[in-house]
Amino acid sequence: MSLPSWVPIRPDLAGRTAYGAPQLDVPVRLNTNENPYPPSPGLARAIAAAVAEVAGTLNRYPDRDAVALREDLAAYLGRGLSWRQVWAANGSNEIIQQLLQAFGGPGRSAIGFEPSYAMHPLIARATATGWISGARGTDFGLDAGRAVRAIRDQRPDLVLLTSPNNPTGGALPLAVIEAVCDAAPGMVVVDEAYAEFARDGAPTALALLPRYPRLVVTRTMSKAFALAGARVGYLATDPAVIEALLLVRLPYHLSAVTQAVARAALAHAAEPLATVQALRGERDGLVRWLRGQGLAVADSDANFVLFGEFGDSRAIWQALLERGVLVREVGPPGWLRVSAGTPAEMDAFRGALLPVLDGAREEAHLRHDAPRGRQ
């Protein structure tokens, strides 16, 4: 929808469209990488009790620095982190926005290696930070040499890495992150929104924090903790970096209710994290099944799978939607992304995809066998 001419929007935002995955009322929604398992009744009661406890104080502003929540997040992450090394905000997107506000802005630039999380360049644009699109390999991986060359050529103020990468799913080796940290002239941000879903042995950039003070590792409670509706993201970094973020964060940016909900979930972390193990199993089974159908599938350390390659991915997406299954058309052309769901949702996805694939193959066969006209 284009804005009327009388709306004095910034020229660099004119003609742009807002980000957002389709929110459609369909039986099976597998397009936004949500955790399909809602909070257990016990956790829901704990959250309700926590909210009830703060309800009588909502006439007062919340703890502006969310110290108790940061203490709980630091304890969850472990590795000897203190609350002064952890910061929280309304989803990891606000975390990224604050980082770009503090370390990017006019005259500064950020680089990401695409295909990657689509919000990174959008947040860069919104904060008037120049965006540099680096490239991944044909296998969607990122090797240290490619990354270091791009950083030395472009000299960005921020480097944004995603591990596991969205939409392709793979985790980065620590050696790549180390090489980037050694080469980067400014901040290095590793977006680990899906870290809890990584396969056994996959590394986390948290291990590198003691060596690199300009390294930031971002996380979210939306996925593993099944709190997408609560909007809680956080980061771990050097305390001096957090002091810089205080200059750009809005006062009282985390409500008392949000803080209470997040703390209740952390106090009962074993319950939502148990669903992570189930989703890892569904993801791995889905990778094997899709490959068994002759499809290309990217290795995944996240709670989703990228699969293709289709001559017309939009037609496949639409055909699945008509069968009541919503997946995501995102990332590289010819590929689709499906979130790991419950066993029933995975059965529905397989049942919908099989006839769609059969129809696409039959159509391709007919086109191939059709007689050609005279040249």
Side-chain angles (χ1 to χ4, degrees), residues 7 23 45 53 117 246 250 265 276 291 323 332 347 361:
V7 178
Q23 290 186 309
R45 287 192 295 270
E53 186 174 341
Y117 184 37
L246 296 180
L250 295 173
V276 170
R291 287 175 175 163
R323 288 165 172 79
D347 286 345
R361 287 164 179 156

Side-chain angles (χ1 to χ4, degrees), residues 262-310:
R263 295 194 66 205
L266 287 163
H268 297 78
E271 293 185 34
L273 293 180
T275 68
V276 170
Q277 298 306 314
L279 291 169
R280 289 174 67 184
E282 292 293 346
R283 172 203 64 204
D284 293 342
L286 184 58
V287 168
R288 291 191 295 270
W289 184 83
L290 288 168
R291 287 175 175 163
Q293 309 311 308
L295 296 170
V297 184
D299 290 331
S300 179
D301 287 287
N303 68 333
F304 56 81
V305 175
L306 189 76
F307 66 102
E309 298 180 57
F310 303 108

